[in-house]
């Protein structure tokens, strides 16, 4: 997962802006030829976007000698990536023509004036009909216009090391039906192998949106609760389900069923989980994403040929095993055009080349994505590359989505603060939830909240 510690203020920010300014403006080159700047994330085990865009640059420039594609890989984990991308977008000299954009940031970035609507372009792109409607929805702004073309989507569930579970007396087809059964398994691992981390649930600010989405929201939506009431269009405060979710975090940390707080608050822990702890049998169970095999494939950053034999998957159960019995969360990333691009026609053409069938298939396989193009999903090579594709695709039936509002990012940050205060023992779940409620009211206004 691509996750992070907030960017330091002051000199680092100034230096970043100056450095990016030296990269060029994304405007026409001195000879009148077009330069298209693509900004994207490159961090830890996530190098698939970098590899994709390097190939796109070579292919497109060869076919279009009058176009130069300038790649701007931002080597930062998730929170830092969002901060640095926002810095780029604030100045015409540094704003990218194309950017790798998380779906949950689209509405806030539209509100900030960073993104260009693409509806007129998409109407003439025959491939647009290959994209599934649900994925298209993730690229919409509040005005109903499309600002992001999806590159893939994902779901979340439980990954477990079969060898670790076997030593704890648990079967290869382990499938917990409630939170209690999940905790019982973690306790069995701790008893059988004291040096192994029983259960990883991302938590705290350094993990950014990974903590909110893979950790907290997987718990909250499993209680039957919600962050946002879509009928009243108000944020939920005073929620017992919110407290219950934090109480789960308290349980795994106070009982020593999770990584130590020091390990969990390392912004690189997501890379450590996939590249070291799971392959080396140092972790039993991880609540994580469908993209995990992208690290283990032959082309990944930490190839692990045995993963298909050693790793098992199970759905994350609901709190008491209540209907629908399992829970998941879905997100995804898009390509977006910068609002200040001097060459939006060329930028869109580069976008369509980047996300044509061939490149979409390649990215879906390399990054273990759930395909968002029907023609990609139907390709035999797609399903053959990753045997967990059917399992994670089936979780779409029980999946949930983050609130599609421009203020979600601020609420997400308040969730991370609450989780961290509980996992480190600074506050009880009830105290942390009360602080969260006050933060949400301050951010969105009391008139935009409702009691759970």
């Amino acid at each position: 997962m691509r996750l992070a510690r907030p960017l330091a203020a002051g000199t680092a920010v100034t230096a970043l802006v100056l450095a990016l300014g030296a990269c060029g403006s994304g405007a026409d080159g001195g000879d009148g030829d077009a330069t298209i700047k693509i900004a994207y994330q490159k961090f830890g085990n996530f190098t698939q976007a970098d590899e994709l865009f390097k190939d796109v640059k070579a292919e497109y420039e060869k076919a279009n000698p009058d176009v130069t594609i300038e790649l701007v890989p931002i080597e930062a984990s998730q929170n830092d990536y969002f901060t640095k991308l926002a810095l780029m977008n604030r100045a015409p000299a540094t704003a990218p023509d194309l950017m790798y954009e998380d779906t949950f940031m689209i509405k806030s970035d539209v509100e900030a004036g960073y993104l260009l609507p693409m509806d007129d372009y998409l109407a003439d792109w025959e491939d647009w009909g290959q994209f599934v409607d649900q994925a298209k929805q993730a690229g919409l702004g509040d005005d109903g216009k499309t600002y992001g073309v999806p590159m893939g989507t994902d779901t979340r569930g439980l990954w477990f090391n079969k060898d670790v579970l076997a030593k704890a007396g648990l079967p290869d087809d382990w499938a917990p039906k409630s939170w209690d059964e999940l905790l019982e398994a973690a306790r069995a691992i701790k008893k059988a192998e004291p040096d192994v981390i029983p259960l990883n649930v991302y938590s705290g600010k350094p993990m950014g949106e990974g903590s909110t989405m893979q950790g907290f929201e997987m718990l909250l939506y499993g209680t039957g609760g919600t962050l946002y009431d879509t009928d009243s269009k108000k944020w939920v405060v005073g929620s017992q389900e919110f407290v219950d979710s934090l109480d789960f975090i308290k349980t795994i940390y106070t009982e020593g069923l999770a990584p130590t707080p020091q390990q969990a608050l390392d912004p690189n822990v997501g890379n450590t989980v996939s590249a070291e702890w799971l392959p080396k049998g140092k972790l039993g169970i991880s609540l994580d994403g469908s993209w995990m095999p992208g690290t283990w494939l032959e082309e990944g950053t930490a190839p692990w040929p045995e993963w298909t034999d050693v790793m098992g998957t199970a759905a994350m159960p609901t709190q008491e095993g209540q209907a629908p019995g399992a829970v998941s969360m879905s997100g995804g990333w898009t390509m977006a055009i910068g609002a200040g691009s001097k060459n939006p026609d060329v930028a869109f053409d580069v976008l369509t080349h980047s996300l044509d069938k061939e490149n979409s298939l390649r990215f879906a396989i390399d990054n273990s994505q759930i395909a968002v193009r029907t023609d990609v999903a139907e390709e035999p090579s797609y399903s053959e590359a990753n045997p967990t594709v059917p399992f994670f695709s089936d979780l779409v039936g029980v999946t949930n989505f983050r609130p599609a509002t421009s203020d979600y990012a601020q609420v997400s940050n308040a969730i991370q603060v609450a989780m961290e205060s509980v996992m480190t023992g600074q506050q009880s779940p009830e105290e942390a939830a009360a602080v969260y409620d006050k933060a949400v009211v301050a951010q969105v206004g009391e008139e935009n909240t409702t009691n759970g």
Side-chain angles (χ1 to χ4, degrees):
M1 186 56 185
R2 17 279 189 213
L3 312 162
R5 189 180 300 276
L7 182 67
T11 303
V13 173
T14 303
L16 173 69
V17 173
L18 290 173
L20 293 172
C23 293
S25 66
D28 289 342
D31 58 358
D33 293 347
T35 297
I36 299 299
K37 183 188 300 181
I38 307 177
Y40 56 91
Q41 185 190 27
K42 178 185 178 184
F43 177 69
N45 295 326
F46 178 61
T47 60
Q48 292 89 344
D50 185 54
E51 293 159 3
L52 170 67
F53 292 129
K54 282 180 177 177
D55 286 349
V56 166
K57 171 181 169 64
E59 295 162 1
Y60 196 89
E61 288 181 345
K62 182 177 181 180
N64 300 274
D66 58 336
V67 176
T68 298
I69 294 179
E70 180 182 335
L71 302 182
V72 186
I74 299 176
E75 299 195 24
S77 48
Q78 196 161 358
N79 279 359
D80 285 359
Y81 174 71
F82 298 141
T83 301
K84 293 180 179 183
L85 189 59
L87 283 171
M88 290 184 70
N89 277 307
R90 286 174 191 165
T94 59
D97 298 274
L98 289 169
M99 65 196 84
Y100 184 66
E101 178 86 356
D102 196 324
T103 54
F104 95 95
M105 292 296 293
I106 285 178
K107 292 195 175 184
S108 58
D109 282 353
V110 169
E111 191 174 272
Y114 298 155
L115 306 181
L116 184 77
M118 290 185 276
D119 302 79
D120 290 344
Y121 291 115
L122 293 170
D124 295 328
W125 185 32
E126 60 183 32
D127 279 25
W128 189 229
Q130 293 288 347
F131 288 78
V132 298
D133 289 340
Q134 190 178 46
K136 290 179 179 179
Q137 295 297 311
L140 298 179
D142 282 330
D143 56 7
K145 296 178 181 179
T146 298
Y147 292 86
V149 175
M151 299 180 70
T153 189
D154 48 41
T155 53
R156 287 148 179 79
L158 296 167
W159 286 93
F160 60 90
N161 184 304
K162 295 177 185 179
D163 295 341
V164 172
L165 265 64
K167 293 175 184 177
L170 298 165
D172 282 359
D173 60 352
W174 173 73
K177 303 301 182 187
S178 66
W179 288 5
D180 283 344
E181 289 190 14
L182 173 56
L183 291 171
E184 286 169 8
R187 291 170 184 135
I189 293 170
K190 181 177 175 63
K191 183 177 180 180
E193 301 179 89
D195 294 333
V196 171
I197 300 167
L199 173 64
N200 176 62
V201 178
Y202 295 115
S203 184
K205 284 182 66 62
M207 295 299 291
E209 187 62 16
S211 293
T212 303
M213 194 174 181
Q214 268 123 270
F216 189 81
E217 290 176 359
M218 286 290 289
L219 295 168
L220 180 67
Y221 286 93
T223 66
T226 185
L227 284 176
Y228 186 78
D229 186 306
T230 54
D231 293 332
S232 64
K233 297 185 178 179
K234 293 183 178 182
W235 291 95
V236 176
V237 295
S239 161
Q240 182 59 45
E241 292 87 355
F242 196 99
V243 175
D244 288 352
S245 302
L246 288 177
D247 193 58
F248 185 95
I249 298 296
K250 176 186 175 182
T251 298
I252 62 174
Y253 278 93
T254 56
E255 292 190 21
L257 304 177
T260 66
Q262 291 77 13
Q263 290 172 318
L265 294 174
D266 180 349
N268 294 297
V269 69
N271 297 320
T272 303
V273 165
S274 60
E276 295 182 31
W277 288 352
L278 285 173
K280 295 179 180 179
K282 296 180 179 180
L283 170 64
I285 307 162
S286 188
L287 180 54
D288 227 306
S290 52
W291 58 81
M292 292 284 278
T295 299
W296 305 326
L297 297 176
E298 184 178 349
E299 303 80 11
T301 54
W304 182 25
E306 299 81 13
W307 78 269
T308 54
D309 297 321
V310 177
M311 293 303 298
T313 55
M316 177 65 182
T318 52
Q319 184 178 16
E320 305 290 346
Q322 73 272 29
V327 64
S328 186
M329 296 293 302
S330 290
W333 292 75
T334 69
M335 281 191 76
I337 300 178
S341 174
K342 301 291 176 56
N343 297 287
D345 295 354
V346 180
F348 183 76
D349 196 51
V350 174
L351 183 154
T352 60
H353 179 75
S354 303
L355 301 185
D356 63 14
K357 180 185 175 182
E358 182 179 354
N359 282 320
S360 292
L361 175 63
R362 171 252 185 96
F363 189 74
I365 291 174
D366 291 353
N367 200 32
S368 295
Q369 292 284 287
I370 295 174
V372 292
R373 288 182 59 127
T374 55
D375 52 1
V376 169
E378 292 166 355
E379 277 291 321
S381 60
Y382 168 66
S383 55
E384 291 167 1
N386 182 351
T388 64
V389 163
F391 169 79
F392 282 104
S393 295
D394 285 348
L395 290 179
V396 170
V398 295
T399 204
N400 298 273
F401 297 88
R402 293 166 289 185
T405 67
S406 59
D407 44 16
Y408 170 80
Q410 289 72 38
V411 174
S412 175
N413 183 71
I415 290 171
Q416 296 158 31
V417 171
M419 296 180 82
E420 187 165 323
S421 67
V422 169
M423 67 186 282
T424 56
Q426 297 176 65
Q427 291 179 319
S428 69
E430 291 79 7
E431 291 168 338
V435 172
Y436 165 82
D437 290 344
K438 291 180 181 177
V440 172
V441 170
Q443 287 161 359
V444 307
E446 189 168 3
E447 70 279 7
N448 294 313
T449 63
T450 183
N451 287 326

